[in-house]
Amino acid sequence: FVVGGYWLLRSLKDPIMSVIDGVEYIPQAKIASLFVVFGLVIVYNKLLDILPKHQLFYLMGATYGVLFLIMGLLLLHPTIGLANTKSDPSRLLGWISYVTIESFGSMVVQAYWALVNASVDVHFAKKNFGLIVAGAQIGSILGPTVATQASVIGIPALYLGGSFVMFLMIGAMYLYVQRFGVPAEEENDKSNKKSSGKEEGIMEGFYLFYDHDYVKGIFCISSLFMINVTVIDYMMKVL
């Protein structure tokens, strides 16, 4: 659900931006999404000190589900939505849609993996992470495949479908937690924080980045990859 919903919406973000605001503004929207994600990471780190990982996952999923629902309905509007084919960078819906989908891919996917990593041991991970990744690959195929039917289904309907997938994602995670319980790591973290009286704080991730060279290396590799993919993807769209 996480990856399938993301790839369904990811396949729609550039066409929506192109129709509403113009394809030439996609780079600016990408830059804007970086600042939004940076702010959301700070908020996310703060919420980790307040909420358990599974509850934070529910909160994020519900928030994005509601946002996608609202934007899907706005896309049906005759002047705000896609019916108005006059591209204008002052139309906020395209910008908000693009940034929301970009931030979803950055925030919810990593929140899912954080929850999974906290829920399982090494033995389980060796046996089942391959299946999880395989399921993610199926979702990454099904999402864009459904998006290719936009001319039949309609982009607003697909957007609303993406919103529905967010709530299915929450439901699936809720059933998982009900069956297997809260990750033991979360309860240990709570007891450790209470005993030590110290919380990590919203800047902990940045401290880890500064202190550990291997984190910088991961950052550089993933950043260079995404820069290449983004530049090539944009060039293919404007050719």
Side-chain angles (χ1 to χ4, degrees):
F1 290 129
V2 177
V3 177
Y6 168 65
W7 276 97
L8 170 62
L9 294 167
R10 177 187 169 92
S11 302
L12 302 176
K13 66 182 176 67
D14 287 342
I16 291 173
M17 185 71 187
S18 300
V19 171
I20 295 179
D21 298 285
V23 67
E24 64 272 19
Y25 291 97
I26 289 178
Q28 291 91 323
K30 177 71 72 171
I31 294 173
S33 69
L34 292 176
F35 290 99
V36 171
V37 170
F38 181 81
L40 290 177
V41 167
I42 295 176
V43 175
Y44 174 79
N45 288 337
K46 180 60 179 178
L47 290 176
L48 276 177
D49 296 331
I50 302 173
L51 299 174
K53 289 186 178 70
H54 67 288
Q55 292 183 6
L56 183 54
F57 185 83
Y58 299 155
L59 176 62
M60 295 173 68
T63 301
Y64 279 101
V66 171
L67 287 174
F68 291 140
L69 175 63
I70 294 173
M71 285 186 286
L73 295 175
L74 288 176
L75 289 172
L76 294 169
H77 194 276
T79 57
I80 299 175
L82 295 173
N84 180 3
T85 58
K86 183 179 179 181
S87 300
D88 187 344
S90 65
R91 296 173 64 184
L92 295 179
L93 181 58
W95 296 91
I96 296 173
S97 170
Y98 193 99
V99 169
T100 303
I101 295 173
E102 281 284 302
S103 64
F104 172 81
S106 300
M107 301 301 301
V108 177
V109 174
Q110 65 88 19
Y112 167 77
W113 280 112
L115 179 57
V116 170
N117 289 332
S119 305
V120 301
D121 55 22
V122 176
H123 179 69
F124 179 91
K126 289 180 178 179
K127 291 176 59 178
N128 295 283
F129 267 28
L131 295 175
I132 295 175
V133 174
Q137 291 300 316
I138 293 173
S140 68
I141 295 171
L142 291 178
T145 300
V146 174
T148 60
Q149 304 302 313
S151 59
V152 178
I153 302 174
I155 290 180
L158 290 174
Y159 220 101
L160 294 173
S163 171
F164 180 65
V165 170
M166 298 300 104
F167 295 106
L168 290 178
M169 175 185 73
I170 297 172
M173 185 58 70
Y174 176 79
L175 293 176
Y176 172 85
V177 172
Q178 290 300 308
R179 180 172 181 177
F180 297 103
V182 177
E185 181 181 302
E186 293 188 4
E187 297 185 353
N188 292 336
D189 287 344
K190 286 182 180 179
S191 61
N192 290 337
K193 287 177 182 178
K194 288 181 180 179
S195 61
S196 64
K198 180 181 178 181
E199 295 184 351
E200 293 178 344
I202 63 176
M203 300 300 291
E204 182 66 20
F206 301 104
Y207 295 146
L208 291 174
F209 178 83
Y210 179 79
D211 290 336
H212 300 285
D213 290 336
Y214 79 92
V215 178
K216 297 184 182 73
I218 295 172
F219 172 80
C220 290
I221 293 171
S222 59
S223 297
L224 289 173
F225 170 76
M226 288 308 301
I227 290 172
N228 288 331
V229 169
T230 302
V231 171
I232 294 173
D233 182 61
Y234 178 70
M235 290 175 64
M236 295 296 292
K237 286 182 173 65
V238 298
L239 285 178

